[in-house]
């Protein structure tokens, strides 16, 4: 079931990327070259077959001259409720000193703390 959600998110990301590429009047090959990724890899992202890393999304966003945060939201890396600008997630994703695995680990830990505090916050409200 979770896998179905991932592929749905990736498909909508791919559709969005293709729309942005076409609106920018770029061919798949041109965008791939500007973003520094291979043509087949970019094609697979657009078709929803691959889920790109935050770094690749950032490169694609730069090449398309669009917001990387919007791509993060479309890819399911950020939640729209997190708000854009100044969030912990964006700081983690934009840190060049971390590997992709380290970034994902930090995001997972942060999300678990938020979930825990959300549950604890409800219990605290009930006691008041």
């Amino acid at each position: 079931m979770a896998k179905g959600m991932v592929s749905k998110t990736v498909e909508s990301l791919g559709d969005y990327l293709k729309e942005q590429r076409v609106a920018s009047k770029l061919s798949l090959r041109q965008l791939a070259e500007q973003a520094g990724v291979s043509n087949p890899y970019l094609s697979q992202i657009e078709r929803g077959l691959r889920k790109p890393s935050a770094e690749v999304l950032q490169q694609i966003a730069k090449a398309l001259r669009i917001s990387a945060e919007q791509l993060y939201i479309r890819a399911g890396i950020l939640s729209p409720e997190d708000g854009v600008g100044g969030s912990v997630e964006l700081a983690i994703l934009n840190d060049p000193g971390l590997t992709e695995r380290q970034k994902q680990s930090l995001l997972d830990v942060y999300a678990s703390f938020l979930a825990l505090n959300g549950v604890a916050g409800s219990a605290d409200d009930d006691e008041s």
Side-chain angles (χ1 to χ4, degrees):
M1 175 107 172
K3 188 169 182 163
M5 286 288 285
V6 169
S7 66
K8 177 99 174 130
T9 302
V10 174
E11 283 175 15
S12 65
L13 170 66
D15 292 340
Y16 180 73
L17 284 175
K18 186 172 184 176
E19 287 173 11
Q20 295 300 311
R21 178 177 59 78
V22 170
S24 297
K25 297 183 172 134
L26 290 171
S27 70
L28 192 66
R29 192 174 307 270
Q30 289 170 322
L31 178 57
E33 185 177 313
Q34 289 181 19
V37 298
S38 73
N39 190 34
Y41 182 61
L42 183 58
S43 174
Q44 290 172 346
I45 294 170
E46 281 192 1
R47 290 182 288 140
L49 301 175
R50 295 280 183 137
K51 184 174 181 182
S53 68
E55 288 178 14
V56 169
L57 287 174
Q58 194 170 30
Q59 291 169 234
I60 293 171
K62 186 176 177 183
L64 287 171
R65 294 186 174 99
I66 61 174
S67 162
E69 289 82 6
Q70 286 302 316
L71 292 184
Y72 295 155
I73 290 169
R74 294 230 178 227
I77 296 171
L78 286 181
S79 167
E81 296 86 41
D82 292 336
V84 176
S87 74
V88 172
E89 292 94 339
L90 287 176
I92 292 169
L93 290 169
N94 289 321
D95 190 326
L98 299 173
T99 66
E100 283 301 310
R101 185 174 182 163
Q102 290 168 334
K103 289 176 186 181
Q104 190 57 56
S105 295
L106 281 171
L107 290 171
D108 291 343
V109 169
Y110 182 66
S112 71
F113 283 151
L114 290 178
L116 180 65
N117 290 343
V119 172
S122 298
D124 291 343
D125 292 343
D126 293 342
E127 292 173 4
S128 303

